[in-house]
Amino acid sequence: MAKIKITGPCRLEGSVTINGAKNAALPCMAASLLTESSITLNNIPNVKDVDTLASLLNFIGAEINKKDNNTINIECKKIKNALAPYEMVKTMRASILALGPLVARNGYAKVSLPGGCAIGARPVEQHLKGLEKLGADITIEHGYIIAHANTLQGTEFTFDKITVTGTENIMMAATLAKGHTIIYNCAREPEIENLGQLLIKMGAKINGLGTDTIHIEGVNNLYSAQHSIIPDRIETGTYAIAALICNSKIKIKNCNPSHLIIPLKKLQEIGANIEFTNNEILIQSPEKLSSANIETNPYPNFPTDLQAQYMSLMTQAYGTSIIKENIFENRFMHVGELLRMGANINISGSIATVYGKTNLLGANVMATDLRASACLILAALAAKGETIIDRIYHLERGYVNLVEKLSSLGAVIQKIN
Ligand code: EPZ
């Protein structure tokens, strides 16, 4: 089992290049099921979750060609298996993104319920309610979602909860429904807008991208398209926090600062000096970081996927910070590990109170989910001494070459077995 060893404290310098966003790549890949033509996606991140979804799409009937590490061509001429098996879905919940396209294209889909994960129960009833409103018959049998629909009918549907993949699933399904669909209370993440732009290139008729109300005029077919995946805003935020926790100055290249305006403003509030263009960020740490509170909320607010990383940073800030997690019910799994490194954090329900500045010491710790892994790495960069992080397979699901990138910035970090 691979682990990561870091010897801190580290200082960083130089520049880092951001890869394509995992959470934009996955829905765009799933969209290939909507057409028998081929789609080509550029700036795809070379991470485990992309490989997992590619395997599922291949099982369903798509031909996958990786032109290079970052370009993938997917062509699903025929649906061979309208099935997303439990063995595949349990390793990656985002497999649920096959549901909407399969029902729309094939009129039938059998997709394993994703089940929960470390950060929460993560139900998918909103996805199912949306598909039912579009005319699908949905039953749950032996842990599988069974969906039938001769043809989907345009409708008006309002999400009870803001859901990223729920919005993506219903938007994809509605592109092939008969008639007009209006979806209210949509999530507004940039990854959804990126998916919508691909669908429009494929021939879909969509208005309202980037807002909470999306209008779709159904079409009979979708066609070939080529599309670039947006830079990963969570990877960008992770490296910005790395610069601050290491009291350093770095340049972040090939990013899109407009996708993380609120997190960047928060980092400025705690003392960071940030200059940015449309695709680069120059971030410099102050001598002393100040504490500041955050609440995680749907885009464009502070993203839940940066909460753990920000918590690591607040252990190094002077003062008390209150972190409220509003999206997932169990996203403080990293706190126990931070406490073992010497952090002073108190949890009460969905609120964590961080008392800084504490001098962290290296320790043996264990990653519990993708973003908690990043949080522990950040803490280890600031900690005095050696930290060994176990279960780093979580990390490889969503970060491209994080060890190599941090090492090239000057961190004393390596992968060990
Ligand atoms: C997406 O997950 C991301 N994953 C997550 O990133 C991200 O944390 C999350 O959005 C929130 O931004 C991908 O895009 C592949 P939700 P998703 O549906 O779509 C509840 C990462 O680290 N809910 O927006 O599954 C749900 O339980 C991952 O890259 C329902 O109750 O999240 C949660 O509390 C982690 N019923 C909240 O809504 C539903 O039917 C937001 O979930 C759907 C969701």
Side-chain angles (χ1 to χ4, degrees), residues 19 54 58 124 150 173 237 343 381 403 414:
N19 287 86
N58 182 248
V124 292
N150 294 329
L381 293 175
V403 171
Q414 62 182 111

Side-chain angles (χ1 to χ4, degrees), residues 14 19 36 38 87 113 115 140 142-143 177 197 248 271 300 344 371 381:
N19 287 86
E36 59 190 28
S38 74
E87 290 65 35
L113 275 167
I140 307 290
H142 307 294
Q197 287 157 356
S248 301
N344 184 356
R371 307 305 173 181
L381 293 175

Side-chain angles (χ1 to χ4, degrees), residues 265-278:
K265 282 193 183 313
K266 184 55 69 175
L267 297 183
Q268 286 171 321
E269 183 186 334
I270 66 173
N273 185 315
I274 300 177
E275 297 165 28
F276 53 84
T277 65
N278 64 341

Side-chain angles (χ1 to χ4, degrees), residues 20-305:
K22 160 181 87 84
N23 291 349
L26 298 177
C28 286
M29 290 170 68
S32 65
L33 296 174
L34 289 163
T35 175
E36 59 190 28
S37 308
S38 74
I39 65 164
T40 299
L41 301 173
N42 306 310
N43 200 32
I44 287 277
N46 197 16
V47 293
K48 185 96 181 62
D49 276 9
V50 165
D51 296 340
T52 304
L53 186 56
S55 306
L56 173 61
L57 296 175
N58 182 248
F59 172 80
I60 291 171
E63 203 177 306
I64 314 271
N65 288 301
K66 270 201 145 185
K67 295 206 171 133
D68 57 46
N69 249 354
N70 303 109
T71 306
I72 191 168
N73 183 281
I74 310 174
E75 184 174 27
C76 189
K77 284 199 178 101
K78 223 169 118 15
I79 304 290
K80 289 194 196 116
N81 304 295
L83 167 67
Y86 172 68
E87 290 65 35
M88 287 186 161
V89 175
K90 72 178 179 184
T91 63
M92 189 189 62
R93 305 185 65 269
S95 309
I96 188 84
L97 287 166
L99 179 63
L102 273 178
V103 176
R105 162 97 184 269
N106 185 55
Y108 169 79
K110 180 178 180 183
V111 174
S112 169
L113 275 167
C117 73
I119 62 178
R122 303 189 73 181
V124 292
E125 88 289 341
Q126 297 300 311
H127 301 236
L128 308 186
K129 284 174 79 172
L131 289 172
E132 284 177 327
K133 199 70 171 46
L134 282 165
D137 291 321
I138 307 264
T139 54
I140 307 290
E141 294 167 26
H142 307 294
Y144 278 84
I145 301 159
I146 314 280
H148 290 273
N150 294 329
T151 51
L152 294 178
Q153 297 296 333
T155 184
E156 293 198 12
F157 172 69
T158 303
F159 281 108
D160 302 323
K161 285 201 78 158
I162 293 177
T163 159
V164 174
T165 49
T167 301
E168 291 164 347
N169 243 333
I170 302 312
M171 182 164 75
M172 287 192 281
T175 60
L176 294 179
K178 298 274 178 254
H180 195 86
T181 296
I182 308 175
I183 315 167
Y184 297 103
N185 200 24
C186 294
R188 297 164 47 197
E189 272 66 4
E191 294 77 23
I192 296 170
E193 195 166 350
N194 193 238
L195 169 64
Q197 287 157 356
L198 165 63
L199 293 168
I200 289 169
K201 285 182 183 176
M202 292 168 68
K205 293 185 170 38
I206 303 174
N207 284 302
L209 287 176
T211 76
D212 63 1
T213 303
I214 294 179
H215 292 252
I216 299 170
E217 193 60 46
V219 294
N220 293 327
N221 289 297
L222 293 176
Y223 303 95
S224 269
Q226 174 143 352
H227 190 58
S228 277
I229 300 302
I230 54 173
D232 192 320
R233 61 193 169 98
I234 304 303
E235 186 189 17
T236 304
T238 302
Y239 284 104
I241 291 172
L244 301 183
I245 209 166
C246 294
N247 192 12
S248 301
K249 174 181 181 181
I250 67 168
K251 178 180 280 188
I252 304 173
K253 299 162 83 169
N254 192 35
C255 61
N256 186 335
S258 72
H259 290 163
L260 57 172
I261 293 294
I262 288 182
L264 291 177
K265 282 193 183 313
K266 184 55 69 175
L267 297 183
Q268 286 171 321
E269 183 186 334
I270 66 173
N273 185 315
I274 300 177
E275 297 165 28
F276 53 84
T277 65
N278 64 341
N279 64 357
E280 281 189 358
I281 292 171
L282 190 60
I283 183 164
Q284 173 149 20
S285 176
E287 266 315 303
K288 290 178 80 171
L289 287 164
S290 310
S291 61
N293 303 339
I294 60 160
E295 283 207 34
T296 65
N297 277 302
Y299 190 85
N301 297 294
F302 198 99
T304 176
D305 292 347

